[in-house]
Coordinates of all heavy atoms in Angstrom, one line a residue:
L220 N -34.7 -5.7 -14.8 CA -33.3 -6.1 -14.6 C -32.8 -6.8 -15.8 O -31.6 -6.6 -16.1 CB -33.2 -6.9 -13.3 CG -33.7 -6.3 -12.0 CD1 -33.6 -7.3 -10.8 CD2 -32.8 -5.0 -11.7
W221 N -33.6 -7.6 -16.3 CA -33.1 -8.4 -17.5 C -32.8 -7.4 -18.7 O -31.8 -7.6 -19.3 CB -34.2 -9.4 -18.0 CG -34.0 -10.0 -19.3 CD1 -33.2 -11.0 -19.7 CD2 -34.7 -9.5 -20.5 NE1 -33.3 -11.2 -21.0 CE2 -34.2 -10.3 -21.6 CE3 -35.6 -8.5 -20.8 CZ2 -34.6 -10.2 -22.9 CZ3 -36.0 -8.4 -22.1 CH2 -35.5 -9.2 -23.2
N224 N -29.5 -5.7 -18.2 CA -28.4 -6.6 -17.9 C -27.8 -6.4 -16.5 O -26.6 -6.6 -16.3 CB -27.3 -6.4 -19.0 CG -27.7 -6.8 -20.4 OD1 -28.4 -7.8 -20.6 ND2 -27.4 -5.9 -21.3
A225 N -28.7 -6.1 -15.6 CA -28.2 -5.7 -14.3 C -27.8 -6.9 -13.4 O -27.1 -6.7 -12.4 CB -29.4 -5.0 -13.5
L226 N -28.1 -8.1 -13.8 CA -27.8 -9.3 -13.0 C -26.7 -10.1 -13.7 O -26.3 -11.2 -13.2 CB -29.0 -10.2 -12.7 CG -30.1 -9.4 -12.0 CD1 -31.3 -10.4 -11.8 CD2 -29.7 -8.9 -10.7
V227 N -26.2 -9.7 -14.9 CA -25.3 -10.5 -15.6 C -24.0 -10.6 -14.9 O -23.4 -9.6 -14.4 CB -25.0 -9.8 -17.0 CG1 -23.9 -10.5 -17.7 CG2 -26.3 -9.9 -17.9
G228 N -23.5 -11.8 -14.7 CA -22.2 -12.0 -14.0 C -22.3 -12.3 -12.6 O -21.3 -12.6 -11.9
K229 N -23.5 -12.2 -12.0 CA -23.7 -12.5 -10.6 C -23.8 -14.0 -10.4 O -24.2 -14.7 -11.4 CB -24.9 -11.8 -10.0 CG -24.8 -10.3 -10.0 CD -26.1 -9.7 -9.3 CE -26.0 -8.2 -9.4 NZ -24.9 -7.7 -8.5
V230 N -23.5 -14.6 -9.3 CA -23.5 -16.0 -9.0 C -24.8 -16.4 -8.4 O -25.4 -15.7 -7.6 CB -22.3 -16.4 -8.1 CG1 -22.2 -17.9 -8.0 CG2 -21.0 -15.9 -8.7
A231 N -25.3 -17.6 -8.8 CA -26.6 -18.1 -8.2 C -26.6 -19.6 -8.1 O -25.8 -20.3 -8.8 CB -27.7 -17.6 -9.1
H252 N -32.9 -23.1 -13.2 CA -31.7 -22.7 -13.9 C -32.0 -21.9 -15.2 O -31.2 -21.0 -15.6 CB -30.7 -23.8 -14.1 CG -30.1 -24.4 -12.9 ND1 -29.3 -25.5 -12.9 CD2 -30.0 -23.9 -11.6 CE1 -28.8 -25.7 -11.7 NE2 -29.2 -24.8 -10.9
T253 N -33.0 -22.4 -15.9 CA -33.4 -21.8 -17.2 C -33.6 -20.3 -17.0 O -33.1 -19.4 -17.7 CB -34.6 -22.4 -17.8 OG1 -34.3 -23.8 -17.9 CG2 -35.0 -21.8 -19.1
V254 N -34.4 -19.9 -15.9 CA -34.7 -18.5 -15.7 C -33.4 -17.8 -15.3 O -33.2 -16.7 -15.8 CB -35.7 -18.4 -14.5 CG1 -36.0 -16.9 -14.2 CG2 -37.0 -19.1 -14.8
L255 N -32.5 -18.4 -14.5 CA -31.3 -17.7 -14.1 C -30.4 -17.5 -15.3 O -29.7 -16.4 -15.3 CB -30.6 -18.6 -13.0 CG -31.4 -18.8 -11.7 CD1 -30.5 -19.7 -10.8 CD2 -31.8 -17.5 -11.1
L256 N -30.4 -18.4 -16.2 CA -29.5 -18.2 -17.4 C -30.0 -17.0 -18.3 O -29.3 -16.3 -18.8 CB -29.5 -19.5 -18.2 CG -28.7 -20.6 -17.6 CD1 -28.9 -21.9 -18.4 CD2 -27.2 -20.3 -17.6
H257 N -31.3 -16.9 -18.4 CA -31.9 -15.8 -19.1 C -31.5 -14.4 -18.5 O -31.3 -13.4 -19.2 CB -33.4 -15.9 -19.2 CG -33.9 -16.7 -20.3 ND1 -34.3 -16.2 -21.5 CD2 -34.1 -18.1 -20.4 CE1 -34.7 -17.2 -22.3 NE2 -34.6 -18.4 -21.6
L258 N -31.4 -14.4 -17.1 CA -31.1 -13.2 -16.4 C -29.6 -13.0 -16.4 O -29.1 -11.9 -16.0 CB -31.6 -13.3 -15.0 CG -33.1 -13.2 -14.9 CD1 -33.6 -13.5 -13.4 CD2 -33.7 -11.9 -15.3
G259 N -28.8 -13.9 -16.8 CA -27.3 -13.7 -16.9 C -26.5 -14.2 -15.7 O -25.3 -13.9 -15.6
F260 N -27.1 -15.0 -14.8 CA -26.4 -15.5 -13.7 C -25.4 -16.6 -14.1 O -25.5 -17.3 -15.1 CB -27.4 -16.1 -12.7 CG -28.1 -15.1 -11.8 CD1 -29.4 -14.8 -12.1 CD2 -27.5 -14.6 -10.7 CE1 -30.1 -13.9 -11.3 CE2 -28.2 -13.7 -9.9 CZ -29.5 -13.3 -10.2
L261 N -24.3 -16.7 -13.3 CA -23.4 -17.8 -13.3 C -23.9 -18.8 -12.3 O -24.0 -18.5 -11.1 CB -22.0 -17.3 -13.0 CG -21.4 -16.1 -13.8 CD1 -20.1 -15.7 -13.3 CD2 -21.4 -16.5 -15.3
I262 N -24.2 -20.0 -12.8 CA -24.8 -21.0 -11.9 C -23.8 -21.9 -11.2 O -22.9 -22.4 -11.9 CB -25.8 -21.8 -12.8 CG1 -26.9 -20.9 -13.3 CG2 -26.4 -23.0 -12.0 CD1 -27.9 -21.6 -14.3
Q341 N -23.4 -2.4 -17.6 CA -22.5 -3.4 -18.2 C -21.8 -2.9 -19.4 O -21.9 -3.5 -20.5 CB -23.4 -4.7 -18.6 CG -24.0 -5.4 -17.4 CD -22.9 -6.1 -16.6 OE1 -21.7 -5.8 -16.6 NE2 -23.3 -7.1 -15.8

Side-chain angles (χ1 to χ4, degrees):
L220 298 178
W221 167 80
N224 295 319
L226 303 177
V227 174
K229 295 183 183 293
V230 185
H252 286 174
T253 302
V254 179
L255 299 181
L256 288 170
H257 275 266
L258 292 171
F260 282 101
L261 305 176
I262 295 174
Q341 294 289 21

